[in-house]
Each structure stands twice: as C-alpha cells, then as structure tokens.
Amino acid sequence: MEYGLIGEKLGHSYSAILHALLADYDYQLHPMPPEAVDAFMQRREFQGINVTIPYKKTVIPYLARMGETAQRIGSVNTVVKQPDGTLFGDNTDAYGFAQMAASIGADFSGKKVLVLGSGGTSLTACDVVRQAGGTPVVISRSGEITYADLPKHTDAEYLINTTPVGMYPNVHAAPVDLTRLPNLKGVLDVIYNPLRTQLLQQAQKLGIPATSGLKMLVYQAVRACELFTGKPVEPQRAQAAEKQLRAQSMNLVLIGMPGCGKSTIGQELARISGREAVDTDALIAAEAGMSIPDIFAKEGEAGFRAREKAVIQREALIGGRILITGGGAIKDAENRAALRMNGYVAQITRPVSLLATGGRPLSAGGIEAVEKLHHERAPLYADCADAAYPNETTPAQCANAIWEGFDEALRA
C-alpha cells in the first residue's frame, strides 16, 4: 500500500474518493482490528497513511516526530514516512476545521464558543478556537459543564457540534434548540451525512450563518495530500473535489402543486444531468400494488400519507438523484426536513388555472378546490424550497433554470 487509510471500520469512508480527486497516487482503505495495528506500524509498508477512529492516539508511539498541531491536540490523523525511514505525524483535521469556519466568516477572536461533545473532534475544534483567540466552552452529557448549564451561556456567539446527534440514520434529532442561544453569529456542525442536519436547518431558518462538516472533510484531505506529496494542491482542484463530493451526496428535489409539471420537468432534468429520476408517487404505487387513486379509495388520505412518508424518509437520504415528489409531500414537517437534508429543493410554480387535475384525487373538485389546496400549501412549499421556478413557458426552459440553480448550490 503506497497511501491509504487505517481504522477499525471504514465502510462509509469518502477518503479513497477524495484522494483520487486530489492526486494521482494509489490510495486504499485498510480496515484492521486493534491487534493488527502494531505489526502494521512496525512494517511501515506505506509512504503515507491517514488514521481514523480509534487509532489517532494509538499510532503516536511509532512516530519519530510530530507536528505542532498534533502535539497540542494529542491526536494524529496523518502519518508520512520520511526519507530516512522514520515516521512523521500531524493532525490535518484542524486545518480542515479552520477552512470550514472560514467558509461562513467565523471570527472566534475574543468570542465565547460553545463546543458540544468531548471526543477527538472536540479537541480539534477547541484548538482551532484557541489559536484564533477565542474561548471554547465544552458542553457534554457528563463533563464539568452539561446541557443543563446552557442558560448560563446565552452570551455565546458561536456553536460547534462535534457530537453524532443528527447523523444518519438518526437524522430527526438535534443536540440543542438554537432559540435558547439568542446571540449566535455562526453554527458549525461537523456532521456531513446528512449535508443539512436538523441543527443546520434551524440555523438557516433563524438567519444564522451555518455550515456542515463537508468542507472540513475535504480540506483535511487536501492538507494530508500536501503532506504526502510535498506539493500544494491547486485551489481549483480542491474546489472541484468538494463540488463533486457534494454532487454525489445531494439530490435535486422537485416540489410543487399537483399538475404543475414536476414529472415532465424531472425527466428533462434526468436527461440533462444523466441522473436517475425517482418519482415517489410511482414508488408508492409500485410498493402498494395499486394506483394512487385506489390507495385513496381503500385507505383514505391518511393511509396514503403514511405510505408516502415511509418512502420519502428512505429515498430522501440517498443522494445523487432527481427526486420528484407528490404535491402533498410537504404537508408533513419531517418530510420537509428530510427532503432538505441531502437535497436542493426546487419548487415548480404554475398559475392555478393551468394546473392539470386529471387522475389527482385531491384536485378533482374543480378550480375552487385547487385554489383552496394552493392556499393551504403555499406556506409549506415556501418553508421547504431553496428556490422557486415558474413553469410558464416550456418544461425544458424550466428544467434548464433549475439545473443552473442546482449547479450554483453545489459550489456553495
């Protein structure tokens, strides 16, 4: 193995993908049990390795030298074999976290910063905050300062989540309610699956600058790559790697009134992008073994919505696709949250008088029924959507506009 990653469990690692985008060397994932680490490190049959849980401290005794950041944090995630055969270790997570903070303009100098969690990533975040002149306050379930002490820290200006609360698959959870912290200027969540956790969605609704851990993931790899090769990674290559990783994780989600053209535009977007188009109503019907009108007739709207929720909660968290939803999918708050977690949500709008109503159980009462439906749902579409796109010319023009908006979102 020339370069690679060691850790106990590596099933969901993005490292091989990232390093392939950043450089041209051979990079392999190398999961290993704890009893295998000593022999692996003694053999030194690598030029450079990244190290993840639970071996970031385990590798330290094998190092001849450590970088200043790794010494301060007491944790190593990158090891490089030197020309004399000895090993040098450093911590590139701190660089990645600093880039993550910079992406929302976070200025920790002179600020109180709440850091949720007391694990290894917490140590990294605290180090970056201190180096920037800030004061980290660690909050954990069983530490000196617990969540019960939050009312004493309402003057905090930044919040960093280093806990797994809100991570896939337990996505409908948040470590704190941000309304309890009225002075926040920024929220950083190191979770990157999903891209927009419940915590980040609340921050967005409150108008607080916020970011996920995807940028940290990318830029810790950038710095590791530079240590491996001794050469800087070109900024354009790093940006392209981040965009591609985001694209692989993010869905393009279509919402809107029944009959607004979601299915037609979704198929056009699939043609433009080469992405798979997934129609949630089609999945519901296939899994139920009957049409949507038949489901309504036999199970009522409540039965249909239960089936719809199960499909959306599953499909919304699989990235990289075009997701076409039913008109009422946004009625459920957890559906709205799930669609946004790994999705850029585009609302397709169309004048009520032009909405198609054939074969749609809730649109069958004529224009008055459709107008009532639109009035009820308009605030929910607005709550869920990242942007609205009118379908008033041709489906192709609407699809092209949506694709441009999505491409811009991938660079955020």
Side-chain angles (χ1 to χ4, degrees), residues 182-258:
N183 293 300
L184 290 179
K185 295 181 177 177
V187 174
L188 300 91
D189 193 336
V190 301
I191 293 171
Y192 53 84
N193 184 17
L195 292 171
R196 285 196 282 200
T197 59
Q198 288 276 48
L199 184 72
L200 293 183
Q201 291 191 44
Q202 187 184 28
Q204 186 175 7
K205 287 182 179 179
L206 293 173
I208 304 170
T211 181
S212 78
L214 185 71
K215 192 171 289 286
M216 178 180 176
L217 174 71
V218 171
Y219 280 88
Q220 63 79 24
V222 167
R223 183 66 186 127
C225 179
E226 292 175 339
L227 288 174
F228 290 162
T229 64
K231 300 175 183 178
V233 174
E234 294 181 358
Q236 298 89 337
R237 190 162 187 174
Q239 291 161 10
E242 181 180 359
K243 181 182 177 183
Q244 185 161 332
L245 195 61
R246 194 182 301 276
Q248 291 176 4
S249 302
M250 190 182 288
N251 290 314
L252 174 47
V253 181
L254 303 184
I255 64 171
M257 282 288 290

Side-chain angles (χ1 to χ4, degrees), residues 1-5 25-28 40 44-50 78-81 87-88 224 227-228:
M1 182 176 72
E2 187 178 14
Y3 298 96
L5 172 70
Y25 46 67
D26 176 52
Y27 190 100
Q28 300 175 17
F40 177 84
R44 304 181 189 179
E45 294 175 349
F46 56 81
Q47 292 303 310
I49 54 169
N50 291 128
T78 303
V79 177
V80 182
K81 186 190 291 185
L87 301 179
F88 167 79
L227 288 174
F228 290 162

